[in-house]
Amino acid sequence: MEPLSPRPAGYTIEELSAIVGMSARNIRAHQTRGLVPPPVRHGRSAYYGPVHLRRLRRITTLQKQGFNLVSIAAMLEPATVDGGADRLGAAVDGVVRDQPSLARCLERHGVLGRDDAGRPAVVRRSVRRAVADLVGAGVPPVAALRFLGQFLDRVAPLADEQLTALRTQTGPASAAPRACLAELLVSAFRTTVENAAGLPEEEPGRRRPG
C-alpha cells in the first residue's frame, strides 16, 4: 500500500498501521520495547513521521528474514525521540541539585551515577532508554524519575526474596547460573506487566498454551 498523503503533523496510528500493514497494537508494543520511538504529541493527538515509518518497515523486513524481536533489538539503535535524552539529562541535573533524597535513592539502586564527563546521569542503558522514551512521549522527566525511585524501593526487597527462594530450590550455583536465575525473574516480571497491559507476545504468530 502506498503511503497516505503526508500532513505536517504526520500520520495517526491508524494511518501508519495501514501503510506498514501492522496492527496498531503491535506498533504500540514495539514502542514499549524500545524498538520504535514514541509519537510526537500535539494536544491530545499523537502523530508518527518518516522515522517511525522507516523503523517499522525495517523491523518487518528483519522479521521476514527470520529474526526474532530480541535479535532485532540488538541490531537497531535505541529508539528515542529527539530531545527526550536532553530533557532527561537536564532533569537529572535538577534532581541532584534540588531533590537529594531522590538522587540518593536512584544512586542506591545503581541507576544514577556519573558519565564519562563526570556529569550526573542515568547509567543503566535500558533504564535510560525507557525513561527517555517516556519523556519523549510527554511524561515530565522528574515525575518519571520519582516513580522509578518509588518503584525500585518497593520491588527491591521482593526481588531479593524471590531470588533467594529460587536459588534455594535450584541448589548451589556459580556466577553464570545466578545470572540466568536473575534473568528468569526479569522475564517473569516482564510477562506479568505485558499481560496486565494487554501487550502481544514477543513473537507474532505464536500462541500461548491453553
Side-chain angles (χ1 to χ4, degrees):
M1 179 180 292
E2 292 297 321
L4 302 175
S5 298
R7 297 174 307 220
Y11 308 109
T12 66
I13 194 167
E14 291 78 13
E15 292 169 339
L16 185 65
S17 173
I19 293 169
V20 298
M22 181 184 297
S23 71
R25 184 180 181 185
N26 276 346
I27 292 173
R28 292 190 180 99
H30 289 331
Q31 287 176 211
T32 301
R33 294 188 179 97
L35 295 176
V36 177
V40 175
R41 295 194 173 275
H42 295 278
R44 300 179 64 180
S45 301
Y47 294 94
Y48 299 78
V51 171
H52 301 91
L53 188 59
R54 288 194 297 270
R55 175 73 74 148
L56 289 170
R57 283 176 168 164
R58 176 64 174 157
I59 291 170
T60 299
T61 297
L62 290 171
Q63 285 181 315
K64 288 179 179 178
Q65 292 173 356
F67 294 101
N68 62 27
L69 294 179
V70 174
S71 299
I72 292 172
M75 296 178 193
L76 300 177
E77 292 296 322
T80 58
V81 168
D82 293 341
D86 292 339
R87 289 182 61 198
L88 175 58
V92 169
D93 288 340
V95 164
V96 171
R97 182 182 63 248
D98 303 325
Q99 302 185 45
S101 61
L102 175 56
R104 286 194 297 271
C105 170
L106 295 173
E107 185 176 9
R108 184 171 65 251
H109 290 292
V111 170
L112 189 64
R114 293 189 179 275
D115 60 18
D116 293 338
R119 180 179 175 180
V122 176
V123 293
R124 286 185 177 266
R125 184 175 61 179
S126 60
V127 175
R128 182 172 64 247
R129 182 175 63 191
V131 176
D133 283 349
L134 280 175
V135 173
V139 175
V142 174
L145 291 171
R146 186 180 301 113
F147 173 81
L148 178 62
Q150 293 170 347
F151 180 79
L152 288 169
D153 275 345
R154 293 173 181 173
V155 79
L158 178 62
D160 288 340
E161 174 188 328
Q162 294 303 311
L163 186 56
T164 299
L166 185 56
R167 289 178 61 189
T168 299
Q169 294 178 37
T170 56
S174 65
R178 282 201 298 271
C180 295
L181 297 179
E183 180 58 30
L184 176 62
L185 293 183
V186 170
S187 300
F189 181 75
R190 184 183 299 118
T191 297
T192 61
V193 172
E194 289 177 347
N195 288 341
L199 299 178
E201 294 180 83
E202 181 176 288
E203 297 186 37
R206 198 179 70 190
R207 295 180 179 273
R208 289 190 177 95

